[in-house]
Amino acid sequence: MIYLILFSLILKAAAGGNGLAMTPQMGWNTWNSFGCDIDEDLILSSAQAIKDKNLTSFGYECKYRYVQRTTSDNTTGAPVADPVRFPNGLKHVADQIHSLGLKANLPGFIAGIYSDAGTFTCEGHFGSLGFEEIDAATYASWGMDYLKYDNCYNEGREGTPLISEERYANMSRALDATGRPILFSLCNWGVDGPWNWAPTIAHSWRISGDIMDNYDRFDDRCPCTSVIDCKLPGNNCAMTRIIDFAAPLSEKAGPGRWNDADMLEVGNGGMTFDEYGTMWAVIKSPLILGNDVRNMTAETLEIITNKAIIAVNQDPLGSTGIRVWKKTIPSGGDLQLWYGSLVNSTWVIAVMNTSPEDQSTNITFSEGATERTQTYELFDLWDKDDAGDWGKSLGTFSGSLPETTVKSHQTKVFRAVPVSAQTKKDVSEL
Ligand SMILES: *[C@@H]1O[C@H](CO)[C@@H](O)[C@H](O)[C@H]1NC(C)=O
Ligand SMILES: *[C@@H]1O[C@H](CO)[C@@H](O)[C@H](O)[C@H]1NC(C)=O
Ligand SMILES: *[C@@H]1O[C@H](CO)[C@@H](O)[C@H](O)[C@H]1NC(C)=O
Ligand SMILES: *[C@@H]1O[C@H](CO)[C@@H](O)[C@H](O)[C@H]1NC(C)=O
Ligand SMILES: *[C@@H]1O[C@H](CO)[C@@H](O)[C@H](O)[C@H]1NC(C)=O
Ligand SMILES: *[C@@H]1O[C@H](CO)[C@@H](O)[C@H](O)[C@H]1NC(C)=O
């Protein structure tokens, strides 16, 4: 089923530039587990692992050290691959990635690259500011399908939405001018409210400083508690903080334009199963793996291949979940209720408990929304049915859900399916 989800996305992607990211992009990125230490072998062996393990997450996007301008091309200013790490060049790497596609008439795997809307990348390699056209043209000539575009060394060219937008719009125009559909993943950490201007120039935009592999360790490196007018996005942002940031931004996202909550940390070891199994699907963040896909535990594989959860993220309506309420728990943390509208009159209902103790709650389905009086069947998407498929039925309800107990640091994600609409057994297809 993951195949179908991904393939349908790829088909749309292949249809032309404006049809990219009709559902949030899925993929893999080297940064969270490898930082700068990447080379051709890592990229190609990981792509092979994605294929062999049936993840088929289309392609990958690579950051840092992927590209360096060398002194050899001073005349044109075109980017040149690091000759030691990528001795065969980057077109070769992209060609190898594309050749992993499972069907001849589909791209199958897409290849991605990283640069920066500044003089240098965050790691001090050459950025693209002032070189947008030649860089975009070079990426296209290498066969790249995805650009992640960062915000370091921007020469102070931020502070108003217009100034920020100009830098990113230049690259967006340059990508369009190549004629190659290239997914534009804008990464300015939420500075100057990209959700207000990025939807017309990019397919996704980061809403926070960099994620940290931690659930709720808040520290001064990620100082903002609200995303609105956050002046210092920082880094090492705890996962639950990023979810708070996403809450007011739901309506900004939709097909072709997504709030990016940053790459997944699943498999990197800092959190428990329950902590990893949280809200990225409901808030419709891109799902970009950040672990070593060549060497995953069974638990990691379980989490990232939960097809009922992926179906929520990749739902064709592209409607982002909204937070209905957030209740402070006296001992710390909070309990949150989220709803999202899904295809075929079904709903996702998520209850997230960031407190140190288990919490029980009674949820009236009409809370925060119009009356829903139908009878629904309720499926727990982080539990398996008797056949071993994700999405265990909890029976039917009307008006109020059965009392829900959410463990400390757990997020219960349910799908409510109108009983009259049920034609299929597999909840990921409803
Ligand atoms: C991947 O999927 C194919 C086709 O469904 C199947 O034959 C193969 O066993 C699967 N491999 C793994 C590692 O799950
Ligand atoms: C390119 O520019 C660098 C830095 O100015 C310089 O060191 C290098 O010699 C130049 N290379 C060529 C081939 O001109
Ligand atoms: C955008 O690019 C054009 C030429 O490519 C350049 O003249 C202009 O200064 C750039 N604007 C910004 C804000 O970088
Ligand atoms: C896989 O990960 C384990 C634990 O980190 C490590 O000991 C092992 O060497 C890794 N194997 C490969 C093939 O990378
Ligand atoms: C939920 O409702 C049931 C039935 O009215 C009640 O017994 C239970 O105490 C309620 N639970 C909570 C957490 O309020
Ligand atoms: C929605 O319902 C229709 C009609 O029953 C069905 O064909 C379709 O597969 C369902 N799911 C989606 C994702 O459209």
Side-chain angles (χ1 to χ4, degrees):
M1 201 42 49
I2 285 176
Y3 282 124
L4 292 181
I5 292 159
L6 292 165
F7 279 1
S8 66
L9 184 51
I10 288 161
L11 279 169
K12 282 178 213 148
N18 294 332
L20 293 177
M22 296 308 285
T23 58
Q25 64 265 33
M26 297 176 71
W28 173 74
N29 180 305
T30 49
W31 177 250
N32 281 358
S33 43
F34 301 103
C36 288
D37 193 14
I38 67 173
D39 59 18
E40 178 181 311
D41 177 63
L42 170 68
I43 305 296
L44 294 183
S45 59
S46 298
Q48 188 65 48
I50 287 168
K51 177 173 178 172
D52 293 346
K53 295 176 186 184
N54 285 348
L55 299 182
T56 327
S57 310
F58 59 99
Y60 68 96
E61 160 221 343
C62 258
K63 293 182 73 174
Y64 304 95
R65 287 249 181 133
Y66 198 76
V67 160
Q68 277 177 288
R69 269 178 241 284
T70 70
T71 56
S72 65
D73 211 352
N74 287 0
T75 44
T76 62
V80 175
D82 181 319
V84 175
R85 289 171 181 272
F86 297 96
N88 300 305
L90 288 168
K91 181 169 191 315
H92 170 78
V93 175
D95 287 347
Q96 295 292 305
I97 299 292
H98 291 144
S99 74
L100 289 171
L102 301 181
K103 289 197 176 139
N105 62 339
L106 290 175
F109 277 73
I110 74 167
I113 195 148
Y114 165 91
S115 189
D116 190 289
T119 318
F120 299 100
T121 69
C122 299
E123 299 301 313
H125 303 301
F126 283 90
S128 294
L129 190 63
F131 294 89
E132 291 86 357
E133 286 174 17
I134 192 151
D135 284 11
T138 306
Y139 302 153
S141 76
W142 288 339
M144 294 298 167
D145 312 289
Y146 193 114
L147 173 66
K148 177 159 185 172
Y149 202 46
D150 218 338
N151 192 36
C152 286
Y153 298 100
N154 62 27
E155 304 194 315
R157 285 164 64 175
E158 61 183 16
T160 72
L162 199 55
I163 293 172
S164 282
E165 182 191 6
E166 277 177 348
R167 271 184 301 124
Y168 286 91
N170 250 8
M171 181 53 93
S172 177
R173 277 192 298 271
L175 292 173
D176 282 349
T178 68
R180 183 179 178 86
I182 297 177
L183 196 154
F184 189 29
S185 164
L186 188 155
C187 176
N188 86 331
W189 322 314
V191 177
D192 295 329
W195 42 87
N196 288 321
W197 45 266
T200 52
I201 62 170
H203 299 97
S204 64
W205 51 88
R206 279 274 301 284
I207 60 169
S208 71
D210 282 4
I211 193 173
M212 160 173 66
D213 188 12
N214 190 280
Y215 190 72
D216 60 356
R217 197 181 77 213
F218 305 124
D219 67 40
D220 286 348
R221 291 172 295 179
C222 182
C224 300
T225 52
S226 159
V227 74
I228 310 298
D229 294 327
C230 172
K231 298 289 187 219
L232 191 59
N235 52 48
N236 287 274
C237 295
M239 198 162 69
T240 52
R241 170 91 358 116
I242 298 177
I243 293 166
D244 272 342
F245 281 12
L249 304 178
S250 309
E251 69 184 33
K252 301 295 183 179
R257 50 189 168 91
W258 305 107
N259 291 308
D260 181 354
D262 207 355
M263 300 170 292
L264 300 173
E265 293 284 6
V266 184
N268 290 335
M271 289 183 263
T272 65
F273 181 98
D274 281 345
E275 291 171 341
Y276 280 133
T278 183
M279 295 287 294
W280 264 227
V282 176
I283 63 180
K284 302 292 163 88
S285 175
L287 298 180
I288 307 292
L289 302 172
N291 62 314
D292 185 348
V293 288
R294 301 167 305 176
N295 190 6
M296 294 183 276
T297 64
E299 179 175 291
T300 295
L301 194 59
E302 284 257 295
I303 295 173
I304 67 176
T305 59
N306 181 328
K307 66 180 182 178
I309 291 288
I310 291 173
V312 169
N313 181 256
Q314 297 291 305
D315 185 84
L317 279 190
S319 176
T320 300
I322 56 160
R323 187 156 72 188
V324 180
W325 48 249
K326 172 178 165 175
K327 292 175 181 167
T328 301
I329 305 295
S331 59
D334 48 62
L335 191 65
Q336 308 182 15
L337 175 66
W338 292 69
Y339 286 153
S341 163
L342 303 176
V343 73
N344 284 350
S345 304
T346 74
W347 294 84
V348 59
I349 304 166
V351 196
M352 178 176 172
N353 176 15
T354 74
S355 83
E357 289 130 24
D358 298 357
Q359 303 291 336
S360 295
T361 183
N362 284 318
I363 294 163
T364 308
F365 197 34
S366 58
E367 274 178 277
T370 51
E371 196 72 31
R372 297 184 198 107
T373 51
Q374 280 167 280
T375 300
Y376 292 87
E377 183 166 4
L378 193 66
F379 296 89
D380 182 341
L381 304 190
W382 280 115
D383 203 352
K384 288 184 172 173
D385 64 17
D386 291 342
D389 292 326
W390 289 109
K392 183 185 172 70
S393 175
L394 301 179
T396 60
F397 75 94
S398 181
S400 294
L401 272 64
E403 188 187 53
T404 301
T405 298
V406 192
K407 288 188 288 176
S408 170
H409 290 196
Q410 185 186 35
T411 301
K412 288 267 191 193
V413 183
F414 302 113
R415 189 160 184 153
V417 179
V419 168
S420 58
Q422 271 186 281
T423 53
K424 296 190 176 176
K425 281 214 175 82
D426 188 339
V427 70
S428 69
E429 289 175 13
L430 285 164

